[in-house]
């Protein structure tokens, strides 16, 4: 464009208040050909609006339309869901139910296209169920927008090198196969097909590990490998013993277990806009009240899975002006129900954000609600703990949460601190949400698994042999994997 034209445009914009520079539209949902997810998503940011200047008008005037052609008809089936964070930013999610050609995403504000809308794609946009793996892992990893820094993975894999998995699996079975108390599955990936053999009485949770492995294998050819996934919450491999490679959903300072994102977070990724309603995206628009309108109290609900949770009830009862705390179920301490009950009905997770502060106390292990609390936009008061999820290593006390001693002895003081330092507390909520948006969204959860399994495959060297194992098939779904880049896709 010539300078003269630019100046004209500037003047025009000045006169008509066209300020489309004010609106930023970004996110993985704008690369729908390469980044396949159960629910794709992107962000719309009105940079000139804040929580203070936000009005519902903004939401009303913002219209997102997504459409394309399917093989059989003029339109493909797409469901769009706009989440209003009520601070001038929006999350748009969409789920496609069949392969869409000529997909077009239109972002309109006040009936005019904004940013670079319309976004048009001519490659086929596949739903997550399509079994169309990209052949070359590293190319896929880059195109999928995955990061290259995973300190927790480095740390977890450090004790292991050049493993003969046949021997390792035998050792794991010998040591940990106690059917009443532990359950785990031995998985094998060979030629991008999945096999498993499970041990223990309660193996129903293998549906979660099956789902993420199958979902990844529909996107990219996973390298051949074998691994053992623990289906219980407690990590297994104590540091006083020799390291054995067991993948678990929760890690601890006292164990060697290799940490994966929890089944809860992973399921909320794979069932986004599906069976699961609470996830790190939906929770960002769940709060009814603006920060200033929230109760300056700390809220907590949960079951009696740890003694400190009973202590929390005592503390709350002694300080009713600071806390809204109840147990919702008695199982571990049934004999104390008279003292700490009666149990109260569950409240919706979204209701937690009617309060400024949310307490996170361990359950049997780390409380898996942490990702949703971080994304939710309140201040987390987090109990110090040896247990951790895959991302805790990147969190800092006072930056992303307020730390609480393990015995909760400073909890009252910390709540008072938050009340007296509202600006600082508010800043912590923003840091926490930013962290969630950079590390805990569906794209990140998928990338973490991919990075972990890729690095792992380099360590488990032995030839994979899937004899005596059950074949776990991909769900059947009718799909044509033809692509504008035929070289990258498996011929099916
Ligand atoms: C922000 O920008 C939008 C679009 O340009 C405009 O309609 C809106 O009035 C602006 N809001 C504020 C608070 O300046
Ligand atoms: C929106 O854009 C502004 C200006 O670039 C930035 O400061 C802010 O962090 C963005 N908000 C979100 C939620 O991304
Ligand atoms: C605690 O929170 C619940 C849910 O918001 C509310 O119904 C209840 O009245 C609160 N209790 C007190 C004592 O404020």
């Amino acid at each position: 464009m010539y300078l003269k034209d630019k100046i004209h445009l500037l003047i025009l914009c000045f006169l008509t208040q066209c300020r489309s520079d004010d609106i930023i539209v970004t996110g993985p949902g704008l690369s729908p050909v390469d980044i396949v997810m159960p629910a794709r998503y992107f962000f719309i940011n009105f940079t000139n609006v804040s929580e203070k200047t936000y009005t519902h008008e903004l939401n009303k005037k913002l219209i997102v339309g997504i459409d394309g052609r399917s093989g059989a008809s003029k339109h493909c089936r797409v469901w769009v869901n706009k989440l209003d964070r009520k601070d001038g930013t929006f999350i748009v999610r969409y789920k496609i139910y069949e392969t869409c050609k000529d997909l077009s995403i239109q972002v309109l504000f006040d009936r005019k296209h904004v940013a670079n809308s319309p976004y048009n794609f001519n490659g086929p946009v596949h739903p997550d169920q399509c079994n169309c793996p990209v052949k070359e892992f590293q190319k896929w990893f880059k195109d999928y927008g995955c990061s290259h820094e995973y300190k927790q993975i480095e740390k977890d894999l450090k004790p292991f090198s050049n493993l003969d998995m046949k021997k390792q699996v035998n050792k794991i079975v010998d040591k940990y196969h106690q059917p009443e108390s532990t359950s785990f599955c031995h998985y094998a990936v060979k030629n991008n097909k999945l096999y498993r053999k499970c041990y223990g009485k309660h193996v129903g949770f293998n549906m979660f590990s099956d789902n993420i492995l199958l979902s990844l294998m529909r996107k990219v050819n996973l390298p051949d490998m074998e691994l053992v996934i623990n289906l219980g919450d407690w990590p297994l491999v104590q540091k006083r013993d020799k390291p054995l490679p067991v993948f678990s959903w929760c890690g601890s300072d006292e164990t060697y277990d290799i940490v994966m994102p929890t089944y809860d977070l992973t399921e909320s990724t794979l069932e986004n806009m599906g069976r699961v309603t609470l996830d790190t995206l939906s929770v960002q628009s769940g709060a009814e009240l603006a920060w200033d309108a929230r109760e300056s109290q700390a809220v907590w609900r949960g079951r009696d899975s740890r003694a400190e949770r009973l202590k929390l009830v005592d503390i709350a009862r002694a300080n009713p002006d600071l806390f809204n705390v109840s147990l919702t179920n008695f199982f571990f301490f049934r004999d104390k129900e008279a003292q700490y009950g009666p149990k109260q009905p569950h409240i919706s997770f979204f209701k937690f954000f009617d309060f400024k502060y949310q307490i996170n106390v361990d359950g049997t292990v780390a409380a898996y609600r942490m990702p949703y609390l971080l994304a939710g936009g309140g201040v987390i008061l987090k109990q110090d703990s040896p247990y951790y999820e895959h991302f805790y290593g990147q969190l800092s006390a006072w930056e992303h949460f307020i730390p609480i001693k393990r015995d909760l002895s400073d909890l009252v003081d910390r709540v008072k601190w938050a009340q007296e330092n509202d600006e600082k507390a508010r800043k912590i909520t923003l840091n926490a949400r930013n962290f969630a948006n950079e590390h805990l969204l569906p794209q990140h959860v998928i990338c973490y698994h991919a990075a972990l399994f890729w690095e792992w495959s380099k360590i488990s060297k032995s030839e994979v042999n899937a004899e005596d194992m059950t074949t776990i098939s991909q769900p059947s779904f009718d799909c044509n994997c033809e692509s504008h880049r035929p070289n990258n896709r498996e011929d099916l």
Side-chain angles (χ1 to χ4, degrees):
M1 203 191 295
Y2 292 112
L3 186 61
K4 195 177 65 175
D5 297 332
K6 272 197 182 159
I7 291 167
H8 275 156
L9 190 69
L10 272 177
I11 293 169
L12 199 70
C13 281
F14 184 71
L15 294 174
T16 61
Q17 301 200 328
C18 98
R19 309 248 312 270
S20 115
D21 279 355
D22 286 344
I23 305 171
I24 300 173
V25 183
T26 54
L30 297 178
S31 306
V33 178
D34 287 325
I35 305 184
V36 179
M37 286 192 263
R40 292 164 167 92
Y41 55 89
F42 59 89
F43 308 92
I44 302 173
N45 183 346
F46 290 80
T47 57
N48 63 335
V49 179
S50 67
E51 190 181 62
K52 294 222 158 63
T53 58
Y54 165 86
T55 62
H56 285 290
E57 277 302 295
L58 199 67
N59 189 3
K60 273 201 217 141
K61 288 183 179 169
L62 177 67
I63 308 284
V64 179
I66 302 183
D67 197 11
R69 286 186 301 116
S70 82
S73 82
K74 268 181 154 160
H75 300 284
C76 60
R77 288 190 296 138
V78 184
W79 174 33
V80 183
N81 170 225
K82 184 176 64 169
L83 299 168
D84 183 357
R85 290 193 281 205
K86 302 184 189 79
D87 60 358
T89 67
F90 295 82
I91 300 170
V92 176
R93 300 194 282 183
Y94 63 101
K95 193 172 180 67
I96 64 171
Y97 294 91
E98 57 192 338
T99 298
C100 293
K101 290 177 182 165
D102 299 329
L103 190 81
S104 177
I105 298 176
Q106 327 222 338
V107 183
L108 302 171
F109 185 73
D110 216 2
R111 303 206 196 105
K112 290 189 211 67
H113 283 284
V114 298
N116 295 319
S117 173
Y119 301 85
N120 295 322
F121 308 94
N122 33 22
V125 175
H126 292 304
D128 198 75
Q129 297 94 319
C130 278
N131 188 10
C132 301
V134 173
K135 275 187 181 157
E136 198 197 318
F137 182 90
Q138 274 153 317
K139 177 179 180 350
W140 172 86
F141 194 75
K142 187 163 155 282
D143 291 346
Y144 205 85
C146 296
S147 135
H148 284 272
E149 260 228 345
Y150 294 96
K151 291 225 173 77
Q152 185 67 45
I153 294 179
E154 274 173 45
K155 177 174 164 275
D156 285 349
L157 297 186
K158 208 161 192 178
F160 307 106
S161 65
N162 241 325
L163 296 178
D164 177 341
M165 277 308 285
K166 286 277 148 324
K167 284 191 189 146
Q168 298 290 316
V169 172
N170 285 337
K171 281 187 194 165
I172 292 169
V173 173
D174 278 353
K175 189 156 171 71
Y176 300 109
H177 182 31
Q178 293 146 2
E180 295 299 326
S181 58
T182 60
S183 302
F184 54 85
C185 297
H186 170 206
Y187 282 92
V189 174
K190 195 175 169 76
N191 300 327
N192 211 37
K193 297 223 157 28
L194 187 63
Y195 306 88
R196 72 159 144 70
K197 180 169 181 180
C198 295
Y199 300 83
K201 234 180 169 177
H202 306 284
V203 296
F205 273 34
N206 64 20
M207 75 179 204
F208 298 116
S209 31
D210 289 359
N211 286 351
I212 182 65
L213 283 159
L214 290 173
S215 175
L216 272 175
M217 293 162 75
R218 293 193 295 272
K219 297 174 178 55
V220 61
N221 267 348
L222 283 186
D224 286 1
M225 61 181 174
E226 290 178 73
L227 68 163
V228 174
I229 298 183
N230 168 18
L231 302 177
D233 283 324
W234 274 287
L236 291 177
V237 189
Q238 298 299 320
K239 286 226 165 122
R240 59 173 182 270
D241 298 332
K242 284 228 175 71
L244 284 169
V246 173
F247 288 70
S248 289
W249 288 307
C250 184
S252 90
D253 297 339
E254 281 107 51
T255 53
Y256 282 119
D257 296 51
I258 300 161
V259 187
M260 306 184 297
T262 66
Y263 64 85
D264 195 285
L265 182 62
T266 303
E267 193 67 357
S268 79
T269 292
L270 298 181
E271 287 298 330
N272 213 286
M273 294 180 82
R275 270 204 312 273
V276 175
T277 51
L278 173 65
D279 56 72
T280 50
L281 295 169
S282 66
V283 75
Q284 298 194 38
S285 73
E288 292 287 328
L289 304 174
W291 177 256
D292 289 334
R294 298 181 192 179
E295 292 285 346
S296 294
Q297 287 184 325
V299 66
W300 184 85
R301 292 290 183 282
R303 56 183 193 145
D304 62 339
S305 43
R306 181 169 292 274
E308 284 104 32
R309 290 184 164 195
L310 305 184
K311 187 163 179 190
L312 176 59
V313 171
D314 285 331
I315 295 171
R317 284 181 180 168
N319 301 274
D321 50 327
L322 299 182
F323 295 93
N324 185 315
V325 160
S326 313
L327 286 158
T328 53
N329 216 345
F330 286 86
F331 177 78
F332 298 85
F333 296 93
R334 282 205 179 111
D335 53 321
K336 302 218 165 131
E337 186 161 355
Q339 189 184 347
Y340 291 96
K343 65 179 182 187
Q344 297 296 316
H346 284 270
I347 60 172
S348 149
F349 198 86
F350 300 103
K351 275 269 169 210
F352 286 179
F353 304 98
D354 288 353
F355 301 84
K356 284 188 175 174
Y357 324 119
Q358 290 80 38
I359 300 168
N360 184 330
V361 180
D362 282 354
T364 50
V365 292
Y368 294 168
R369 67 185 76 180
M370 191 67 171
Y372 317 113
L373 291 179
L374 286 163
V379 180
I380 303 167
L381 296 148
K382 186 188 173 304
Q383 182 195 24
D384 185 33
S385 167
Y387 295 108
Y388 53 82
E389 295 178 56
H390 74 284
F391 58 91
Y392 288 17
Q394 290 161 281
L395 294 174
S396 307
W398 298 109
E399 186 183 344
H400 303 106
F401 63 90
I402 298 177
I404 307 297
K405 285 199 180 122
R406 185 131 188 91
D407 64 5
L408 310 185
S409 57
D410 56 356
L411 178 58
V412 168
D413 288 343
R414 297 298 201 223
V415 176
K416 286 184 182 158
W417 179 90
Q419 288 182 338
E420 285 155 16
N421 294 273
D422 194 62
E423 279 295 308
K424 287 181 186 161
R426 180 69 179 137
K427 184 80 179 80
I428 292 173
T429 70
L430 299 176
N431 295 339
R433 177 171 280 182
N434 284 343
F435 181 89
N437 281 316
E438 281 161 24
H439 300 281
L440 300 175
L441 301 186
Q443 181 187 23
H444 311 119
V445 173
I446 291 169
C447 284
Y448 195 93
H449 284 98
L452 178 59
F453 295 145
W454 175 255
E455 293 305 319
W456 168 247
S457 74
K458 297 186 202 160
I459 291 170
S460 67
K461 287 283 184 201
S462 51
E463 170 101 16
V464 174
N465 178 347
E467 266 169 39
D468 299 337
M469 298 178 85
T470 310
T471 304
I472 310 300
S473 310
Q474 290 287 0
S476 67
F477 188 85
D478 194 19
C479 201
N480 177 358
C481 295
E482 70 163 84
S483 159
H484 59 306
R485 286 173 310 180
N487 300 340
N488 294 327
R489 302 270 170 180
E490 188 91 282
D491 296 317
L492 290 170

